[in-house]
Coordinates of all heavy atoms in Angstrom, one line a residue:
M8 N 12.0 -54.4 -16.4 CA 12.1 -53.0 -16.1 C 13.3 -52.8 -15.1 O 13.6 -53.6 -14.3 CB 10.8 -52.5 -15.4 CG 10.8 -51.0 -15.1 SD 9.4 -50.4 -14.2 CE 8.0 -50.8 -15.2
S9 N 13.9 -51.6 -15.3 CA 15.0 -51.3 -14.4 C 14.6 -51.0 -13.0 O 13.4 -50.8 -12.7 CB 15.8 -50.2 -15.0 OG 15.0 -49.0 -15.1
N10 N 15.6 -50.9 -12.1 CA 15.3 -50.6 -10.7 C 14.7 -49.2 -10.6 O 15.1 -48.2 -11.1 CB 16.7 -50.6 -10.0 CG 16.6 -50.2 -8.5 OD1 15.5 -50.1 -8.0 ND2 17.7 -50.1 -7.9
N11 N 13.5 -49.2 -9.9 CA 12.8 -47.9 -9.7 C 13.2 -47.2 -8.4 O 12.6 -46.2 -8.1 CB 11.3 -48.1 -9.9 CG 10.7 -48.9 -8.7 OD1 11.4 -49.2 -7.8 ND2 9.5 -49.3 -8.9
E12 N 14.2 -47.7 -7.7 CA 14.8 -47.1 -6.5 C 13.7 -46.7 -5.5 O 13.9 -45.7 -4.8 CB 15.6 -45.8 -6.9 CG 16.7 -46.2 -7.9 CD 17.6 -45.0 -8.3 OE1 17.8 -44.2 -7.4 OE2 18.0 -44.9 -9.4
G13 N 12.7 -47.5 -5.4 CA 11.7 -47.2 -4.4 C 10.6 -46.3 -4.8 O 9.6 -46.0 -4.0
F14 N 10.7 -45.7 -5.9 CA 9.7 -44.8 -6.4 C 8.6 -45.6 -7.1 O 8.8 -46.7 -7.7 CB 10.2 -43.8 -7.4 CG 11.3 -42.9 -6.9 CD1 12.6 -43.0 -7.3 CD2 11.0 -42.0 -5.8 CE1 13.6 -42.1 -6.8 CE2 12.0 -41.2 -5.3 CZ 13.3 -41.2 -5.8
I15 N 7.3 -45.0 -7.1 CA 6.2 -45.6 -7.8 C 6.2 -45.0 -9.2 O 6.2 -43.8 -9.3 CB 4.9 -45.4 -7.1 CG1 5.0 -46.0 -5.7 CG2 3.7 -45.9 -7.9 CD1 3.9 -45.6 -4.8
I16 N 6.2 -45.8 -10.3 CA 6.2 -45.3 -11.6 C 4.9 -45.7 -12.3 O 4.5 -46.9 -12.2 CB 7.4 -45.9 -12.4 CG1 8.7 -45.7 -11.7 CG2 7.4 -45.4 -13.8 CD1 9.1 -44.3 -11.6
E17 N 4.3 -44.7 -13.0 CA 3.0 -45.0 -13.7 C 3.2 -44.5 -15.1 O 3.7 -43.4 -15.4 CB 1.9 -44.2 -13.0 CG 0.6 -44.3 -13.7 CD -0.5 -43.5 -13.1 OE1 -0.2 -42.3 -12.8 OE2 -1.6 -44.0 -12.9
F18 N 2.7 -45.3 -16.1 CA 2.7 -45.0 -17.5 C 1.3 -44.8 -18.0 O 0.4 -45.6 -17.8 CB 3.4 -46.1 -18.3 CG 4.8 -46.4 -17.9 CD1 5.1 -47.3 -16.9 CD2 5.8 -45.7 -18.6 CE1 6.4 -47.5 -16.6 CE2 7.1 -46.0 -18.3 CZ 7.4 -46.9 -17.3
I19 N 1.0 -43.7 -18.7 CA -0.3 -43.4 -19.3 C 0.0 -43.1 -20.8 O 0.6 -42.1 -21.1 CB -1.0 -42.3 -18.6 CG1 -1.2 -42.6 -17.1 CG2 -2.3 -42.0 -19.3 CD1 -1.8 -41.5 -16.3
A20 N -0.5 -44.0 -21.7 CA -0.3 -43.8 -23.1 C -1.3 -42.7 -23.6 O -2.5 -42.7 -23.2 CB -0.6 -45.1 -23.8
M21 N -0.8 -41.8 -24.4 CA -1.6 -40.7 -24.9 C -1.2 -40.5 -26.4 O -0.3 -39.8 -26.8 CB -1.3 -39.4 -24.2 CG -1.6 -39.4 -22.7 SD -1.4 -37.9 -21.8 CE 0.3 -37.4 -22.3
G22 N -1.8 -41.3 -27.3 CA -1.5 -41.3 -28.7 C -0.1 -41.8 -28.9 O 0.2 -43.0 -28.5
N23 N 0.7 -41.1 -29.6 CA 2.1 -41.5 -29.8 C 3.1 -41.1 -28.8 O 4.3 -41.2 -29.0 CB 2.6 -41.1 -31.2 CG 2.6 -39.6 -31.4 OD1 2.2 -38.9 -30.5 ND2 3.2 -39.1 -32.5
T24 N 2.6 -40.6 -27.6 CA 3.4 -40.3 -26.5 C 3.0 -41.1 -25.3 O 1.9 -41.6 -25.2 CB 3.4 -38.8 -26.2 OG1 2.1 -38.4 -25.8 CG2 3.9 -38.0 -27.3
V25 N 3.8 -41.1 -24.2 CA 3.4 -41.7 -23.0 C 3.8 -40.7 -21.8 O 4.9 -40.1 -21.9 CB 4.1 -43.1 -22.8 CG1 5.6 -43.0 -22.8 CG2 3.6 -43.8 -21.6
K26 N 2.9 -40.5 -20.9 CA 3.2 -39.7 -19.7 C 3.7 -40.6 -18.6 O 3.0 -41.6 -18.3 CB 1.9 -39.0 -19.3 CG 2.1 -38.2 -18.0 CD 0.8 -37.5 -17.6 CE 1.0 -36.7 -16.3 NZ -0.3 -36.2 -15.8
V27 N 4.8 -40.3 -18.1 CA 5.4 -41.1 -17.0 C 5.4 -40.3 -15.7 O 6.0 -39.2 -15.7 CB 6.9 -41.5 -17.4 CG1 7.4 -42.5 -16.3 CG2 7.0 -42.2 -18.8
T28 N 4.7 -40.8 -14.7 CA 4.7 -40.2 -13.5 C 5.5 -40.9 -12.4 O 5.4 -42.2 -12.4 CB 3.2 -40.1 -13.0 OG1 2.4 -39.4 -14.0 CG2 3.1 -39.3 -11.7
C29 N 6.3 -40.2 -11.7 CA 7.1 -40.8 -10.6 C 6.7 -40.2 -9.3 O 6.6 -39.0 -9.1 CB 8.6 -40.5 -10.9 SG 9.8 -41.1 -9.7
V30 N 6.3 -41.1 -8.4 CA 5.9 -40.7 -7.0 C 6.8 -41.2 -6.0 O 7.2 -42.4 -6.0 CB 4.4 -41.3 -6.8 CG1 3.9 -40.8 -5.4 CG2 3.5 -40.8 -7.8
D31 N 7.2 -40.4 -5.1 CA 8.0 -40.7 -3.9 C 7.0 -41.1 -2.8 O 6.3 -40.3 -2.2 CB 8.9 -39.6 -3.5 CG 9.9 -40.0 -2.4 OD1 9.6 -41.0 -1.7 OD2 10.8 -39.2 -2.1
P32 N 6.9 -42.4 -2.4 CA 5.9 -42.8 -1.4 C 6.2 -42.3 0.0 O 5.3 -42.3 0.8 CB 5.9 -44.4 -1.5 CG 7.3 -44.7 -2.1 CD 7.7 -43.5 -3.0
R33 N 7.4 -41.9 0.2 CA 7.8 -41.4 1.5 C 7.1 -40.0 1.9 O 6.7 -39.8 3.0 CB 9.3 -41.2 1.7 CG 10.0 -42.6 1.6 CD 11.5 -42.3 1.5 NE 11.7 -41.8 0.2 CZ 12.9 -41.7 -0.4 NH1 14.0 -42.0 0.3 NH2 13.0 -41.3 -1.6
D34 N 6.9 -39.2 0.9 CA 6.3 -37.9 1.1 C 5.2 -37.5 0.1 O 4.7 -36.4 0.2 CB 7.4 -36.8 1.2 CG 8.2 -36.7 -0.1 OD1 7.8 -37.2 -1.1 OD2 9.3 -36.0 -0.1
G35 N 4.9 -38.3 -0.8 CA 3.9 -38.0 -1.8 C 4.3 -37.1 -2.9 O 3.5 -36.7 -3.8
R36 N 5.6 -36.7 -3.0 CA 6.0 -35.8 -4.0 C 5.8 -36.5 -5.4 O 6.1 -37.7 -5.5 CB 7.5 -35.5 -3.8 CG 8.1 -34.6 -4.9 CD 9.5 -34.3 -4.6 NE 9.7 -33.5 -3.5 CZ 10.5 -33.8 -2.4 NH1 11.0 -35.0 -2.3 NH2 10.6 -33.0 -1.4
E37 N 5.4 -35.8 -6.4 CA 5.2 -36.3 -7.7 C 5.7 -35.5 -8.8 O 5.6 -34.3 -8.8 CB 3.6 -36.4 -7.8 CG 3.1 -37.1 -9.1 CD 1.6 -37.2 -9.1 OE1 1.0 -37.7 -8.1 OE2 1.0 -36.8 -10.1
V38 N 6.4 -36.1 -9.8 CA 6.8 -35.4 -11.0 C 6.4 -36.2 -12.2 O 6.2 -37.4 -12.1 CB 8.4 -35.2 -11.0 CG1 8.8 -34.4 -9.9 CG2 9.1 -36.6 -11.1
S39 N 6.2 -35.6 -13.3 CA 5.9 -36.2 -14.6 C 6.8 -35.8 -15.7 O 7.3 -34.7 -15.7 CB 4.4 -35.9 -14.9 OG 3.5 -36.4 -14.0
T40 N 6.9 -36.7 -16.7 CA 7.6 -36.4 -17.9 C 6.9 -37.0 -19.1 O 6.1 -37.9 -18.8 CB 9.1 -36.8 -17.8 OG1 9.8 -36.3 -18.9 CG2 9.2 -38.3 -17.7
I41 N 7.1 -36.6 -20.3 CA 6.5 -37.2 -21.4 C 7.6 -37.6 -22.4 O 8.6 -36.9 -22.6 CB 5.5 -36.2 -22.1 CG1 4.4 -35.9 -21.1 CG2 5.0 -36.7 -23.4 CD1 3.4 -34.9 -21.6
G42 N 7.3 -38.8 -23.0 CA 8.3 -39.3 -24.0 C 7.6 -40.0 -25.1 O 6.3 -40.2 -25.0
P43 N 8.3 -40.5 -26.1 CA 7.7 -41.2 -27.2 C 7.2 -42.6 -26.7 O 7.8 -43.2 -25.9 CB 8.8 -41.3 -28.2 CG 10.1 -41.1 -27.5 CD 9.7 -40.3 -26.3
A44 N 6.0 -43.0 -27.3 CA 5.4 -44.2 -26.9 C 6.3 -45.4 -27.2 O 6.2 -46.5 -26.6 CB 4.0 -44.3 -27.5
N45 N 7.1 -45.3 -28.3 CA 7.9 -46.4 -28.7 C 9.3 -46.5 -28.0 O 10.1 -47.4 -28.3 CB 8.1 -46.4 -30.2 CG 8.9 -45.1 -30.7 OD1 9.1 -44.2 -29.9 ND2 9.2 -45.1 -32.0
A46 N 9.5 -45.6 -27.0 CA 10.8 -45.6 -26.2 C 10.7 -46.8 -25.2 O 9.6 -47.1 -24.7 CB 11.0 -44.3 -25.5
P47 N 11.8 -47.4 -24.9 CA 11.8 -48.5 -23.9 C 11.4 -47.9 -22.6 O 11.7 -46.8 -22.2 CB 13.3 -48.9 -23.8 CG 13.9 -48.4 -25.1 CD 13.2 -47.2 -25.5
R48 N 10.6 -48.7 -21.9 CA 10.0 -48.3 -20.6 C 11.2 -48.1 -19.6 O 11.1 -47.2 -18.7 CB 9.1 -49.3 -20.0 CG 7.7 -49.2 -20.7 CD 6.6 -49.8 -19.9 NE 5.4 -49.5 -20.5 CZ 4.2 -49.6 -19.9 NH1 4.2 -50.0 -18.7 NH2 3.1 -49.2 -20.5
S49 N 12.2 -48.8 -19.7 CA 13.4 -48.6 -18.8 C 14.0 -47.2 -19.0 O 14.3 -46.5 -18.0 CB 14.4 -49.7 -19.0 OG 14.9 -49.6 -20.3
Q50 N 14.0 -46.8 -20.2 CA 14.6 -45.4 -20.5 C 13.6 -44.3 -20.0 O 14.1 -43.4 -19.4 CB 14.8 -45.3 -22.0 CG 15.4 -44.0 -22.4 CD 15.5 -43.9 -24.0 OE1 15.1 -44.8 -24.7 NE2 16.1 -42.8 -24.4
L51 N 12.3 -44.5 -20.1 CA 11.4 -43.6 -19.6 C 11.4 -43.5 -18.1 O 11.3 -42.5 -17.5 CB 10.0 -43.9 -20.2 CG 9.8 -43.8 -21.7 CD1 8.5 -44.4 -22.1 CD2 9.9 -42.4 -22.1
T52 N 11.5 -44.7 -17.5 CA 11.6 -44.8 -16.0 C 12.8 -44.0 -15.5 O 12.6 -43.2 -14.6 CB 11.6 -46.3 -15.6 OG1 10.4 -46.9 -16.0 CG2 11.8 -46.4 -14.1
Q53 N 13.9 -44.2 -16.1 CA 15.1 -43.5 -15.7 C 15.0 -42.0 -15.8 O 15.5 -41.3 -15.0 CB 16.4 -44.1 -16.4 CG 16.7 -45.5 -15.9 CD 16.9 -45.6 -14.4 OE1 17.6 -44.8 -13.8 NE2 16.2 -46.5 -13.8
A54 N 14.4 -41.6 -16.9 CA 14.2 -40.1 -17.1 C 13.3 -39.5 -16.0 O 13.6 -38.5 -15.5 CB 13.6 -39.9 -18.5
A55 N 12.3 -40.3 -15.6 CA 11.4 -39.8 -14.6 C 12.1 -39.8 -13.2 O 11.9 -38.8 -12.4 CB 10.1 -40.6 -14.5
I56 N 12.9 -40.8 -13.0 CA 13.7 -40.9 -11.7 C 14.7 -39.7 -11.6 O 14.9 -39.1 -10.6 CB 14.3 -42.2 -11.5 CG1 13.2 -43.3 -11.2 CG2 15.3 -42.2 -10.4 CD1 13.7 -44.7 -11.2
R57 N 15.4 -39.5 -12.8 CA 16.3 -38.4 -12.8 C 15.7 -37.0 -12.5 O 16.2 -36.2 -11.7 CB 17.0 -38.3 -14.1 CG 18.2 -39.3 -14.3 CD 19.0 -39.0 -15.5 NE 18.3 -38.9 -16.8 CZ 17.9 -39.9 -17.6 NH1 18.3 -41.1 -17.2 NH2 17.3 -39.7 -18.7
K58 N 14.5 -36.8 -13.0 CA 13.7 -35.6 -12.8 C 13.3 -35.5 -11.3 O 13.4 -34.5 -10.7 CB 12.5 -35.5 -13.6 CG 11.7 -34.2 -13.5 CD 10.6 -34.1 -14.5 CE 9.9 -32.8 -14.4 NZ 8.9 -32.6 -15.4
M59 N 12.9 -36.6 -10.7 CA 12.6 -36.7 -9.3 C 13.8 -36.3 -8.4 O 13.7 -35.5 -7.5 CB 12.0 -38.0 -8.9 CG 11.7 -38.2 -7.4 SD 10.4 -37.1 -6.8 CE 9.0 -38.0 -7.3
K60 N 14.9 -36.9 -8.7 CA 16.1 -36.6 -8.0 C 16.5 -35.1 -8.1 O 17.0 -34.5 -7.1 CB 17.3 -37.5 -8.4 CG 17.1 -38.9 -7.9 CD 18.2 -39.8 -8.4 CE 18.1 -41.2 -7.9 NZ 19.2 -42.1 -8.3
Y61 N 16.3 -34.6 -9.3 CA 16.6 -33.2 -9.5 C 15.7 -32.3 -8.6 O 16.2 -31.4 -8.0 CB 16.4 -32.8 -11.0 CG 16.5 -31.3 -11.3 CD1 17.7 -30.7 -11.4 CD2 15.3 -30.6 -11.4 CE1 17.8 -29.3 -11.6 CE2 15.4 -29.2 -11.7 CZ 16.6 -28.6 -11.8 OH 16.6 -27.2 -12.0
V62 N 14.5 -32.6 -8.6 CA 13.5 -31.8 -7.8 C 13.8 -31.9 -6.3 O 13.8 -30.9 -5.6 CB 12.0 -32.3 -8.1 CG1 11.1 -31.7 -7.1 CG2 11.6 -31.9 -9.5
I63 N 14.2 -33.1 -5.9 CA 14.5 -33.3 -4.5 C 15.8 -32.5 -4.1 O 15.8 -31.8 -3.1 CB 14.8 -34.8 -4.2 CG1 13.4 -35.6 -4.2 CG2 15.4 -35.0 -2.8 CD1 13.6 -37.1 -4.2
E64 N 16.8 -32.5 -4.9 CA 18.0 -31.8 -4.7 C 17.8 -30.3 -4.7 O 18.3 -29.5 -3.9 CB 19.1 -32.2 -5.7 CG 19.7 -33.5 -5.4 CD 20.3 -33.6 -4.0 OE1 21.0 -32.7 -3.6 OE2 20.0 -34.6 -3.3
K65 N 16.9 -29.8 -5.7 CA 16.6 -28.4 -5.8 C 15.9 -27.9 -4.6 O 16.2 -26.8 -4.1 CB 15.8 -28.2 -7.0 CG 15.6 -26.7 -7.3 CD 15.0 -26.5 -8.7 CE 14.9 -25.0 -9.0 NZ 14.4 -24.7 -10.3
E66 N 15.0 -28.7 -4.0 CA 14.3 -28.3 -2.8 C 15.1 -28.3 -1.6 O 14.9 -27.5 -0.6 CB 13.1 -29.2 -2.6 CG 12.0 -29.0 -3.6 CD 10.8 -29.9 -3.5 OE1 10.8 -30.8 -2.5 OE2 9.8 -29.8 -4.3
K67 N 16.2 -29.1 -1.6 CA 17.1 -29.1 -0.4 C 17.9 -27.8 -0.3 O 18.3 -27.3 0.7 CB 18.1 -30.2 -0.5 CG 17.5 -31.6 -0.2 CD 18.6 -32.6 -0.3 CE 18.0 -34.0 0.1 NZ 19.0 -35.0 -0.1
S68 N 18.2 -27.2 -1.5 CA 19.1 -26.0 -1.5 C 18.3 -24.7 -1.5 O 17.1 -24.6 -1.3 CB 20.0 -26.0 -2.7 OG 19.3 -26.1 -3.9

């Protein structure tokens, strides 16, 4: 698996999709994304981390 940059990553399979939850342990912020179950976990992890970084940056401004 790729570097999760200190975030906690959880995968929950739901049929032919997987829900990926990314948690920032510093403040408990949580975001989720859904992707195809056959996608590489590293790709799903990076998508969740990108979403987390987007939310963090949006909240700063």
Side-chain angles (χ1 to χ4, degrees):
M8 185 186 298
S9 63
N10 179 8
N11 66 9
E12 301 183 37
F14 298 117
I15 299 167
I16 307 295
E17 176 185 47
F18 297 89
I19 300 173
M21 301 183 311
N23 61 352
T24 62
V25 62
K26 177 182 177 185
V27 185
T28 303
C29 179
V30 180
D31 186 343
R33 294 169 288 191
D34 59 14
R36 180 182 289 121
E37 183 177 310
V38 299
S39 295
T40 188
I41 295 181
N45 61 353
R48 284 199 168 197
S49 60
Q50 183 180 4
L51 296 168
T52 298
Q53 289 306 309
I56 290 172
R57 279 192 306 274
K58 185 172 182 178
M59 175 64 80
K60 288 180 176 180
Y61 170 81
V62 169
I63 291 170
E64 287 302 313
K65 188 170 182 174
E66 288 179 0
K67 284 182 181 178
S68 53

